[in-house]
Amino acid sequence: KAAAGDTYYQGSVVAGINASYYNMTTGQPTGIFVMNGVVGNASESAGYFAVMKDGSVKIGVKGDYAKDAGNIQEAIGIYTMLIVDGEICKGLDATTKYPRQTIGITANGKVILMSADGNQAPTSVGLTSFEQAQVMKDLGCVWAGHLDGGGSMTYGSKPEGEDSFRIVNNPTDGSERAIS
């Protein structure tokens, strides 16, 4: 939902990330997947990020899908919950650094996407899951989840002042990887 003073770009896509894990043989996303109100995959086994039919956004946890199902317009699965109701989840890995793709929602409903390159020392080493959660909390997120990462972690945008959409991070495979 828009808050007073928010501005939104109207027109073509200006940023995009890869999101959920998927079956590399069939291309089917794993976890929750809803596109244009059509359910492609429903599951109670994991969290999800959803744009509701009223335009609001939500991050649901394992077991929430059934109560939201009829009201979801778009949704993707979340691999690991990082922040739930303002608290960093317990048990997150604090040692293994990795390329990370993250989505979060602030208390006033703003969506924050974060991409952190990694596996390319000394240029980039990535984040641990705990660091990933801490960054999102520091950005004001009260809900956040880890999406796909590693070699699939890709961030593309149409940078301000440029006319074309392009990959702006450094994927660990050296180029875009096929995604669902």
Side-chain angles (χ1 to χ4, degrees):
K1 292 182 176 178
D6 284 350
T7 58
Y8 297 93
Y9 178 81
Q10 298 295 317
S12 62
V13 172
V14 294
I17 63 171
N18 64 302
S20 299
Y21 285 81
Y22 71 100
N23 181 312
M24 294 178 77
T25 302
T26 66
Q28 175 73 27
T30 59
I32 304 292
F33 178 67
V34 179
M35 183 184 292
N36 296 319
V38 178
V39 178
N41 195 25
S43 171
E44 290 288 345
S45 65
Y48 56 93
F49 168 81
V51 177
M52 309 305 279
K53 289 183 178 177
D54 67 1
S56 63
V57 292
K58 176 183 182 175
I59 289 181
V61 297
K62 179 179 179 177
D64 274 359
Y65 179 77
K67 67 183 175 190
D68 292 330
N71 295 315
I72 295 175
Q73 183 65 25
E74 308 284 339
I76 55 173
I78 288 178
Y79 183 66
T80 303
M81 295 303 299
L82 301 170
I83 301 172
V84 172
D85 203 17
E87 298 295 323
I88 292 177
C89 296
K90 297 196 181 324
L92 295 175
D93 176 46
T95 58
T96 308
K97 293 188 181 279
Y98 201 64
R100 305 285 180 180
Q101 199 84 279
T102 316
I103 194 161
I105 301 173
T106 64
N108 65 355
K110 288 186 179 182
V111 176
I112 295 181
L113 301 174
M114 179 184 69
S115 299
D117 281 338
N119 292 347
Q120 299 174 71
T123 306
S124 62
V125 294
L127 298 170
T128 68
S129 294
F130 180 79
E131 290 169 332
Q132 182 183 20
Q134 188 62 60
V135 169
M136 296 304 279
K137 186 165 179 77
D138 291 348
L139 291 170
C141 292
V142 293
W143 294 89
H146 170 66
L147 302 171
D148 198 357
S152 297
M153 204 290 294
T154 305
Y155 178 83
S157 73
K158 181 179 174 183
E160 188 172 352
E162 294 186 19
D163 292 329
S164 55
F165 184 90
R166 63 184 171 88
I167 302 304
V168 296
N169 76 307
N170 294 309
T172 62
D173 289 352
S175 63
E176 289 178 80
R177 184 187 277 185
I179 57 175
S180 178

